[in-house]
Coordinates of all heavy atoms in Angstrom, one line a residue:
N1 N 123.4 131.2 67.3 CA 123.9 129.9 67.1 C 123.6 129.0 68.3 O 123.1 127.8 68.1 CB 125.4 129.9 66.9 CG 125.9 129.9 65.4 OD1 125.0 129.7 64.6 ND2 127.1 130.1 65.2
F2 N 123.9 129.4 69.5 CA 123.8 128.6 70.7 C 122.3 128.2 70.9 O 122.0 127.1 71.2 CB 124.3 129.3 71.9 CG 124.6 128.4 73.0 CD1 125.8 127.6 73.1 CD2 123.7 128.2 74.1 CE1 126.0 126.7 74.1 CE2 123.9 127.4 75.1 CZ 125.1 126.6 75.2
I3 N 121.4 129.2 70.7 CA 120.0 128.9 70.9 C 119.5 127.9 69.8 O 118.8 126.9 70.2 CB 119.2 130.2 70.8 CG1 119.5 131.1 72.0 CG2 117.7 129.9 70.7 CD1 118.8 132.5 71.9
A4 N 119.9 128.1 68.6 CA 119.5 127.2 67.5 C 120.1 125.8 67.8 O 119.4 124.8 67.6 CB 120.0 127.7 66.2
F5 N 121.4 125.7 68.2 CA 122.0 124.4 68.5 C 121.2 123.7 69.6 O 121.0 122.5 69.5 CB 123.4 124.5 68.8 CG 124.3 125.0 67.7 CD1 125.5 125.7 68.0 CD2 124.0 124.8 66.4 CE1 126.3 126.1 67.0 CE2 124.8 125.2 65.4 CZ 126.0 125.9 65.6
F6 N 120.9 124.4 70.6 CA 120.2 123.9 71.8 C 118.9 123.3 71.4 O 118.4 122.2 71.9 CB 120.1 124.9 72.9 CG 119.5 124.4 74.2 CD1 120.2 123.7 75.1 CD2 118.1 124.7 74.4 CE1 119.6 123.2 76.2 CE2 117.5 124.2 75.6 CZ 118.3 123.4 76.5
L7 N 118.2 124.0 70.5 CA 116.8 123.6 70.2 C 116.8 122.3 69.3 O 115.8 121.6 69.4 CB 116.1 124.7 69.4 CG 115.8 126.0 70.3 CD1 115.2 127.1 69.4 CD2 114.8 125.6 71.4
V8 N 117.9 122.1 68.5 CA 117.8 121.0 67.6 C 118.7 119.8 67.9 O 118.7 118.8 67.2 CB 118.1 121.5 66.1 CG1 117.2 122.6 65.7 CG2 119.6 121.9 66.0
V9 N 119.6 120.0 68.9 CA 120.6 118.9 69.1 C 120.0 117.6 69.4 O 120.6 116.5 69.1 CB 121.6 119.4 70.3 CG1 120.8 119.4 71.6 CG2 122.8 118.4 70.4
K10 N 118.8 117.5 70.0 CA 118.1 116.3 70.3 C 117.8 115.4 69.1 O 117.6 114.2 69.1 CB 116.9 116.5 71.1 CG 115.8 117.3 70.4 CD 114.6 117.6 71.2 CE 113.6 118.5 70.6 NZ 112.4 118.8 71.4
W11 N 117.8 116.1 67.9 CA 117.6 115.4 66.6 C 118.9 114.9 66.0 O 118.8 114.4 64.9 CB 116.8 116.3 65.7 CG 115.3 116.4 66.1 CD1 114.4 115.4 66.2 CD2 114.7 117.6 66.4 NE1 113.2 115.9 66.6 CE2 113.3 117.3 66.8 CE3 115.0 119.0 66.5 CZ2 112.4 118.2 67.2 CZ3 114.1 119.9 66.9 CH2 112.8 119.5 67.2
G12 N 120.0 115.1 66.6 CA 121.2 114.6 66.0 C 122.2 115.6 65.4 O 121.9 116.8 65.3
I13 N 123.4 115.1 65.0 CA 124.4 116.0 64.5 C 124.1 116.6 63.1 O 124.5 117.7 62.8 CB 125.8 115.2 64.4 CG1 125.6 114.0 63.5 CG2 126.3 114.9 65.8 CD1 127.0 113.3 63.3
L14 N 123.3 115.9 62.3 CA 122.9 116.5 61.0 C 122.0 117.8 61.3 O 122.1 118.8 60.6 CB 122.2 115.5 60.1 CG 121.7 116.0 58.8 CD1 122.9 116.6 58.0 CD2 121.0 114.9 58.0
A15 N 121.1 117.7 62.2 CA 120.2 118.8 62.5 C 121.0 120.0 63.0 O 120.7 121.2 62.6 CB 119.2 118.4 63.6
V16 N 122.1 119.8 63.8 CA 123.0 120.8 64.2 C 123.7 121.5 63.0 O 123.7 122.7 62.9 CB 124.0 120.3 65.2 CG1 125.0 121.4 65.6 CG2 123.3 119.8 66.5
A17 N 124.2 120.7 62.1 CA 124.8 121.2 60.9 C 123.9 122.0 60.1 O 124.2 123.1 59.5 CB 125.5 120.1 60.2
M18 N 122.7 121.5 59.9 CA 121.7 122.2 59.0 C 121.3 123.6 59.6 O 121.2 124.5 58.9 CB 120.5 121.3 58.8 CG 120.7 120.1 57.9 SD 121.3 120.6 56.2 CE 119.8 121.6 55.7
V19 N 121.1 123.6 60.9 CA 120.7 124.9 61.5 C 121.8 125.9 61.5 O 121.6 127.1 61.3 CB 120.1 124.7 62.9 CG1 121.3 124.5 63.9 CG2 119.2 125.8 63.4
Y20 N 123.0 125.4 61.5 CA 124.2 126.3 61.4 C 124.3 126.9 60.0 O 124.5 128.1 59.8 CB 125.5 125.5 61.7 CG 126.8 126.3 61.6 CD1 126.8 127.6 62.2 CD2 127.9 125.8 61.0 CE1 128.0 128.3 62.1 CE2 129.1 126.5 60.9 CZ 129.1 127.8 61.5 OH 130.3 128.5 61.5
L21 N 124.0 126.0 59.0 CA 124.0 126.5 57.6 C 122.9 127.6 57.4 O 123.2 128.6 56.8 CB 123.7 125.3 56.7 CG 123.4 125.6 55.2 CD1 124.6 126.3 54.5 CD2 123.0 124.3 54.5
I22 N 121.7 127.3 57.8 CA 120.6 128.2 57.6 C 120.8 129.5 58.4 O 120.6 130.6 57.8 CB 119.3 127.6 58.1 CG1 118.9 126.4 57.2 CG2 118.1 128.6 58.1 CD1 117.8 125.5 57.8
R23 N 121.3 129.5 59.6 CA 121.5 130.7 60.4 C 122.6 131.5 59.8 O 122.5 132.8 59.7 CB 122.0 130.3 61.8 CG 121.9 131.3 62.9 CD 123.0 132.3 62.8 NE 124.3 131.6 62.8 CZ 125.5 132.3 62.4 NH1 125.4 133.5 62.0 NH2 126.6 131.6 62.3
S24 N 123.6 130.9 59.2 CA 124.7 131.7 58.6 C 124.3 132.6 57.5 O 124.7 133.7 57.4 CB 125.8 130.7 58.1 OG 126.4 130.0 59.2
Y25 N 123.4 132.0 56.6 CA 123.0 132.8 55.5 C 121.9 133.8 55.9 O 121.8 134.9 55.3 CB 122.5 131.9 54.4 CG 123.6 131.3 53.6 CD1 124.2 130.1 53.9 CD2 124.2 132.0 52.5 CE1 125.3 129.5 53.2 CE2 125.3 131.5 51.8 CZ 125.8 130.2 52.2 OH 126.9 129.7 51.5
L26 N 121.0 133.5 56.8 CA 120.0 134.5 57.2 C 120.6 135.7 57.9 O 120.0 136.8 57.7 CB 119.1 133.8 58.3 CG 118.1 132.7 57.7 CD1 117.2 132.2 58.8 CD2 117.2 133.4 56.7
L27 N 121.7 135.6 58.6 CA 122.3 136.8 59.2 C 123.4 137.4 58.4 O 124.0 138.4 58.9 CB 122.8 136.4 60.6 CG 121.8 135.9 61.6 CD1 122.4 135.6 63.0 CD2 120.6 136.9 61.8
A28 N 123.7 136.9 57.2 CA 124.8 137.5 56.4 C 124.7 139.0 56.1 O 125.7 139.6 56.0 CB 124.9 136.7 55.1
P29 N 123.5 139.5 55.9 CA 123.4 141.0 55.6 C 123.9 141.9 56.7 O 124.3 143.0 56.4 CB 121.9 141.2 55.4 CG 121.3 139.8 55.0 CD 122.1 138.9 55.8
I30 N 123.9 141.5 57.9 CA 124.3 142.4 59.0 C 125.7 142.9 58.9 O 125.9 144.1 58.9 CB 124.1 141.7 60.4 CG1 122.6 141.4 60.6 CG2 124.6 142.5 61.5 CD1 122.3 140.6 61.9
P31 N 126.7 142.1 58.8 CA 128.1 142.7 58.6 C 128.3 143.5 57.4 O 129.0 144.4 57.3 CB 129.0 141.4 58.6 CG 128.1 140.3 58.3 CD 126.8 140.6 58.8
L32 N 127.5 143.1 56.3 CA 127.6 143.9 55.1 C 127.1 145.3 55.2 O 127.7 146.3 54.7 CB 126.9 143.2 53.9 CG 127.4 141.8 53.5 CD1 126.6 141.3 52.4 CD2 128.9 141.9 53.1
L33 N 126.0 145.5 56.0 CA 125.5 146.8 56.2 C 126.5 147.6 57.1 O 126.6 148.8 56.9 CB 124.1 146.7 57.0 CG 123.0 146.1 56.1 CD1 121.8 145.9 57.0 CD2 122.7 146.9 54.9
L34 N 127.2 147.0 58.0 CA 128.2 147.7 58.8 C 129.3 148.1 58.0 O 129.9 149.2 58.1 CB 128.6 146.8 60.0 CG 127.6 146.5 61.1 CD1 128.2 145.5 62.1 CD2 127.2 147.8 61.8
L35 N 129.8 147.2 57.1 CA 130.9 147.6 56.2 C 130.5 148.7 55.2 O 131.3 149.6 54.9 CB 131.4 146.4 55.4 CG 132.1 145.3 56.2 CD1 132.5 144.2 55.3 CD2 133.3 145.8 56.9
R36 N 129.3 148.7 54.8 CA 128.8 149.8 54.0 C 128.9 151.2 54.7 O 129.3 152.2 54.0 CB 127.3 149.6 53.6 CG 126.7 150.6 52.6 CD 125.3 150.3 52.4 NE 124.7 151.2 51.4 CZ 123.5 151.2 51.0 NH1 122.6 150.3 51.5 NH2 123.0 152.0 50.1
K37 N 128.7 151.2 56.0 CA 128.8 152.4 56.7 C 130.3 152.7 57.0 O 130.7 153.9 57.0 CB 128.1 152.3 58.0 CG 128.1 153.6 58.9 CD 127.3 153.4 60.2 CE 127.4 154.6 61.0 NZ 126.6 154.5 62.3
L38 N 131.1 151.7 57.3 CA 132.5 151.9 57.7 C 133.4 152.4 56.5 O 134.2 153.3 56.7 CB 133.0 150.6 58.3 CG 134.4 150.6 58.8 CD1 134.5 151.5 60.0 CD2 134.9 149.2 59.3
I39 N 133.3 151.7 55.4 CA 134.2 152.1 54.3 C 133.4 152.5 53.0 O 134.0 152.5 51.9 CB 135.1 150.9 53.9 CG1 134.4 149.7 53.5 CG2 136.0 150.6 55.1 CD1 135.2 148.6 52.9
K40 N 132.1 152.8 53.2 CA 131.3 153.1 52.1 C 131.2 152.0 51.0 O 131.4 152.3 49.8 CB 131.7 154.5 51.4 CG 131.5 155.7 52.4 CD 131.9 157.0 51.7 CE 131.5 158.2 52.5 NZ 131.9 158.1 53.9
L41 N 131.1 150.8 51.5 CA 131.0 149.6 50.6 C 129.8 149.7 49.7 O 128.7 150.0 50.1 CB 130.9 148.4 51.5 CG 130.9 147.0 50.8 CD1 132.3 146.7 50.3 CD2 130.4 145.9 51.7
D42 N 130.1 149.5 48.4 CA 129.0 149.5 47.4 C 128.5 148.1 47.3 O 129.2 147.2 46.8 CB 129.6 150.0 46.1 CG 128.4 150.2 45.0 OD1 127.6 149.3 44.9 OD2 128.5 151.2 44.3
L43 N 127.3 147.8 47.8 CA 126.8 146.4 47.9 C 126.6 145.8 46.5 O 126.8 144.6 46.3 CB 125.5 146.4 48.7 CG 125.6 146.7 50.2 CD1 124.2 146.7 50.8 CD2 126.5 145.7 50.9
L44 N 126.3 146.7 45.5 CA 126.1 146.1 44.2 C 127.4 145.7 43.6 O 127.5 144.6 43.0 CB 125.5 147.2 43.3 CG 125.1 146.8 41.9 CD1 124.1 145.6 41.9 CD2 124.6 147.9 41.1
I45 N 128.4 146.5 43.8 CA 129.8 146.0 43.3 C 130.2 144.8 44.0 O 130.8 143.9 43.4 CB 130.8 147.2 43.4 CG1 130.4 148.4 42.5 CG2 132.2 146.7 43.2 CD1 131.3 149.6 42.7
Y46 N 130.0 144.8 45.3 CA 130.5 143.7 46.2 C 129.8 142.4 45.8 O 130.5 141.4 45.7 CB 130.2 144.0 47.6 CG 130.5 143.0 48.6 CD1 131.9 142.8 49.0 CD2 129.6 142.1 49.2 CE1 132.2 141.8 49.9 CE2 129.9 141.1 50.1 CZ 131.2 141.0 50.4 OH 131.6 140.0 51.3
L47 N 128.5 142.4 45.6 CA 127.8 141.2 45.2 C 128.0 140.8 43.8 O 128.0 139.6 43.5 CB 126.3 141.4 45.5 CG 125.9 141.6 47.0 CD1 124.4 141.9 47.1 CD2 126.3 140.4 47.8

């Protein structure tokens, strides 16, 4: 987040919001994989 915000802040507040949106969805699989290991989460059922 911080790196992305730093790189785009010069283009204004909309650029900051857009990079936050994109980053959030790109990294979404990481916690799901951890939960799969922690409680044997079935990703197919979950999604």
